[in-house]
Amino acid sequence: MALACIIPLATPAAADSSACTHHWTGPQVCIRLEGRNHWNSVTGIWTNPPKTARQRDVTLTLNGWRLGSAQTARRVGGTLSYHWSGFDTGTDTKICVHFTGISRVACATTKYIGDRA
């Protein structure tokens, strides 16, 4: 019996950051934050969907609260992805993406870094 385990790598969203679930088998889900401090865009990526998957709903949560409705991630090459344009994510906010139909969730936490270049 395979052990299914979710171990999100939650790295601070200093300027740009990404985090992925880590497993030996099954779906691999990643989140990418681009921006700084409290203003970020978010991309949810399913890196190894079945070849037949053309699209899948994906949801975004901030500190466990769902933000808006599910969005449709579409196939781009070998992945499924959806990009949320930049918005005020707050700082010290745990941001997660979840694709419908799989239990894997990828998360990253925003962090205030000041006005560094």
Side-chain angles (χ1 to χ4, degrees), residues 67-111:
L67 182 68
S69 58
Q71 301 299 316
T72 303
R74 300 194 188 285
R75 184 169 285 275
V76 177
T79 67
L80 293 178
S81 64
Y82 184 82
H83 179 79
W84 287 267
S85 296
F87 63 100
D88 189 347
T89 58
T91 54
D92 297 319
T93 303
K94 183 177 180 180
I95 302 174
C96 300
V97 293
H98 177 259
F99 285 82
T100 301
I102 60 175
S103 61
R104 309 275 165 77
V105 177
C107 300
T109 302
T110 62
K111 182 176 175 136

Side-chain angles (χ1 to χ4, degrees), residues 2-113:
L3 175 64
C5 125
I6 301 172
I7 306 173
L9 176 63
T11 58
D16 298 333
S17 70
S18 62
C20 297
T21 55
H22 297 281
H23 315 92
W24 294 277
T25 62
Q28 177 79 10
V29 177
C30 298
I31 184 171
R32 182 173 55 229
L33 301 179
E34 297 172 284
R36 65 173 46 204
N37 300 331
H38 63 89
W39 192 264
N40 293 279
S41 64
V42 180
T43 304
I45 307 160
W46 183 358
T47 65
N48 64 342
K51 293 186 186 307
T52 57
R54 308 308 306 154
Q55 60 187 34
R56 183 71 60 104
D57 282 349
V58 60
T59 56
L60 180 69
T61 61
L62 293 120
N63 291 330
W65 293 91
R66 188 170 166 169
L67 182 68
S69 58
Q71 301 299 316
T72 303
R74 300 194 188 285
R75 184 169 285 275
V76 177
T79 67
L80 293 178
S81 64
Y82 184 82
H83 179 79
W84 287 267
S85 296
F87 63 100
D88 189 347
T89 58
T91 54
D92 297 319
T93 303
K94 183 177 180 180
I95 302 174
C96 300
V97 293
H98 177 259
F99 285 82
T100 301
I102 60 175
S103 61
R104 309 275 165 77
V105 177
C107 300
T109 302
T110 62
K111 182 176 175 136
Y112 182 75
I113 61 163

